Amino acid sequence: MQRIGWTRPTAKTMRDMLHIGAPIFAELFLVSLFVMVDTALLKPCGTTAIAAVGLTAEPINVLEFLFFAVQTAVIARMARASAKNDRNAIHAIIRGYLKLTLASAALLAVLTGVFAVPFLTLFGGTADTLPIAVPYFQISLLAFVCRRMYGAMATILKGLDKPQWSFLLNLIANGINIVGDIVLINGYGPFPKLGALGAAVATVSGCAVGLVCAVVVMRDQLRAREIRIPLSDWLRSTWRETRAICTEALPMAGEKVMIRLGIFLSITRIAALGTTAFAAYRILISLQNFAYLGAEAVATTALIFLSKAYANHDRKAAQDAFSAAMVYGLAFSSLCAVLFFAVPGFLMSCYSDDPQVLSEGVRVLRIIFLYQPFQAVALIYASGMRSCRRAGIPSIITTVGIVLVRPSLVYLLAGPLGVCGAWIAIMTDEIVRCVLLFALRGKMWRQFTDAPTPSPAVV
């Protein structure tokens, strides 16, 4: 077997990846930014309202995380079909994916809406927060269905090399959400003052408009590729393609479940350290997420390019795309590492003025900077393996790291070292995962070297 390693990427590949990756990064940053703004606008409603709305965040995340696993599988499948210009396969993927998303999102929304009180109580709802949290959550479930549908269409557009539309759809939806928050929470003009419920109504409005725009954009993009999906086709069975999507997404879905479990196990130990320590931890998570989303954008871009190379059995294109992704990933992660090390006090002061929180955070940021490149490299290798149908490898490694390595070290080190010990555990987990994925990189390249003949298109 010919080994494929890192070489200097071509200027064309670097430009192409930047063209695709920049909108993906902007979209992720935009979503993260609007979540923070949405919370800040509830400040006039009081602490109870903020806590009640914050209570609903984790249940919504739990409902959404399996959809993210399916999105990754669909991006890879769409990229492979697009590379071969297989209109029949694209046709089948779109029908199967959208029907699966609508059915799953609607079912989850109905079930959790009916049992909202016990569901939210499970996540820490109390007599103070539930009266506000329950109606907010039930209204937000309408937004959940709309968001998952326009998110599915945005995923399809990414697979068709049109990520800029995904960014614009999120810009429209979240822009309407923010304007609606300002108007409906405070009751400006002819609108009533709805408080926390106004935030839920604004979110539904933004997501509904985003869904309408997504339908229009996707229809136009499919017409440009001469792909027609008549209304009668939506009534036909899509079991074969739906099963193929779910099969490819299964390892990633299992990985998402394990990630949620691992984070839960770690947080329970960190929360026991006290309010100040936990506040510092949450701020550090917010800062770390910025570095993570940049690396995730690069990894998603790599997934698109490597999936196309795999579909075409093009080893040179795979090598070129992988090398370009490494350049971008290491450059961005190194920049974040420099910021974390050089100006930790400034970064922490953007979130808090508490001297203890600042002191704790500055110390930990000097640790966080160490593993940034390892995180980026691991994400890129994981995307490479997913692009060639080897998703089980990163899923198993992530499960071992985040469910066994990280919580064990958090429980061992957080006691004597506090938040600093918790982040040493997180750093160890990230580095171990990177080393294991690097050691198993031959499994990925073997797939590109001896790529199997693709199966016939599903009609």
Side-chain angles (χ1 to χ4, degrees):
M1 180 194 75
Q2 178 186 358
R3 182 173 291 277
I4 304 175
W6 188 90
T7 58
R8 184 174 180 176
T10 63
K12 182 181 184 305
T13 301
M14 294 290 288
R15 288 194 303 270
D16 289 346
M17 290 199 77
L18 184 62
H19 175 72
I20 298 295
I24 294 175
F25 173 78
E27 175 193 347
L28 291 173
F29 177 74
L30 192 65
V31 171
S32 177
L33 178 65
F34 281 132
V35 168
M36 291 187 290
V37 172
D38 203 30
T39 303
L41 290 173
L42 282 168
K43 186 176 180 180
C45 297
T47 304
T48 302
I50 294 173
V53 172
L55 169 66
T56 66
E58 189 61 22
I60 291 291
N61 287 339
V62 169
L63 295 179
E64 289 189 328
F65 73 88
L66 289 177
F67 290 90
F68 296 147
V70 177
Q71 281 181 3
T72 304
V74 169
I75 288 174
R77 294 183 70 80
M78 284 293 297
R80 290 194 288 264
S82 178
K84 302 177 79 66
N85 197 27
D86 190 341
R87 288 195 290 270
N88 287 334
I90 294 173
H91 181 289
I93 292 169
I94 291 172
R95 287 191 301 125
Y97 180 38
L98 292 183
K99 289 170 73 173
L100 173 65
T101 301
L102 179 59
S104 302
L107 178 62
L108 286 173
V110 170
L111 289 176
T112 54
V114 170
F115 299 102
V117 174
F119 189 58
L120 292 175
T121 302
L122 180 66
F123 286 88
T126 65
D128 291 335
T129 56
L130 285 175
I132 299 175
V134 169
Y136 178 92
F137 179 71
Q138 290 172 331
I139 294 172
S140 295
L141 288 172
L142 295 173
F144 165 73
V145 175
C146 292
R147 184 165 58 245
R148 293 281 40 90
M149 286 304 296
Y150 86 69
M153 295 178 194
T155 298
I156 291 167
L157 292 170
K158 287 176 187 173
L160 294 173
D161 288 346
K162 299 295 182 181
Q164 62 271 24
W165 286 111
S166 179
F167 164 70
L168 289 173
L169 291 172
N170 276 283
L171 180 62
I172 292 169
N174 287 300
I176 292 173
N177 179 29
I178 287 179
V179 173
D181 280 345
I182 295 172
V183 172
L184 296 175
I185 290 174
N186 301 295
Y188 291 124
F191 298 97
K193 183 177 181 179
L194 298 177
L197 290 182
V201 173
T203 302
V204 172
S205 301
C207 291
V209 173
L211 176 58
V212 172
C213 293
V215 170
V216 173
V217 170
M218 194 179 75
R219 182 195 61 188
D220 291 344
Q221 291 300 316
L222 292 179
R223 283 179 176 174
R225 288 175 172 258
E226 299 181 352
I227 298 174
R228 300 285 190 273
I229 307 181
L231 182 61
S232 59
D233 279 11
W234 292 104
L235 303 177
R236 294 170 55 193
S237 172
T238 54
W239 169 243
R240 289 178 62 191
E241 184 56 41
T242 301
R243 182 179 60 183
I245 291 172
C246 291
T247 300
E248 188 161 344
L250 187 60
M252 289 169 276
E255 177 185 336
K256 297 294 184 184
V257 172
M258 292 298 103
I259 287 174
R260 302 308 306 178
L261 175 61
I263 290 174
F264 173 77
L265 292 174
S266 298
I267 283 180
T268 54
R269 179 65 184 92
I270 297 167
L273 297 175
T275 303
T276 300
F278 192 67
Y281 172 78
R282 295 306 306 175
I283 293 172
L284 291 164
I285 284 288
S286 181
L287 291 170
Q288 166 57 40
N289 280 346
F290 176 74
Y292 179 86
L293 69 88
E296 179 70 17
V298 174
T300 302
T301 308
L303 175 69
I304 294 171
F305 279 76
L306 289 168
S307 294
K308 291 181 178 181
Y310 175 72
N312 291 328
H313 302 191
D314 192 338
R315 292 177 294 176
K316 187 177 184 305
Q319 182 179 10
D320 211 31
F322 178 81
S323 299
M326 279 295 179
V327 170
Y328 282 123
L330 289 172
F332 182 81
S333 61
S334 297
L335 174 62
C336 291
V338 169
L339 290 174
F340 291 161
F341 185 81
V343 289
F346 170 76
L347 294 174
M348 290 297 299
S349 66
C350 294
Y351 291 84
S352 175
D353 296 324
D354 188 310
Q356 286 183 285
V357 172
L358 291 174
S359 174
E360 193 80 59
V362 167
R363 279 210 321 262
V364 175
L365 279 174
R366 294 268 167 81
I367 295 173
I368 291 178
F369 97 96
L370 290 171
Y371 70 81
Q372 296 310 304
F374 292 94
Q375 183 182 70
V377 170
L379 287 170
I380 293 168
Y381 268 116
S383 283
M385 292 179 181
R386 287 166 182 146
S387 70
C388 58
R389 305 174 192 269
R390 303 291 287 178
I393 294 174
S395 295
I396 292 171
I397 290 174
T398 299
T399 298
V400 172
I402 206 162
V403 176
L404 298 179
V405 175
R406 181 182 296 192
S408 300
L409 290 177
V410 166
Y411 274 81
L412 181 66
L413 299 176
L417 299 176
V419 178
C420 191
W423 279 96
I424 291 174
I426 294 172
M427 177 179 69
T428 304
D429 168 35
E430 295 284 355
I431 293 175
V432 167
R433 277 191 271 166
C434 178
V435 170
L436 290 175
L437 286 167
F438 179 78
L440 295 172
R441 66 194 184 281
K443 301 283 187 181
M444 175 180 73
W445 290 127
R446 187 178 297 116
Q447 295 296 105
F448 282 103
T449 304
D450 305 314
T453 302
S455 59
V458 180
V459 181

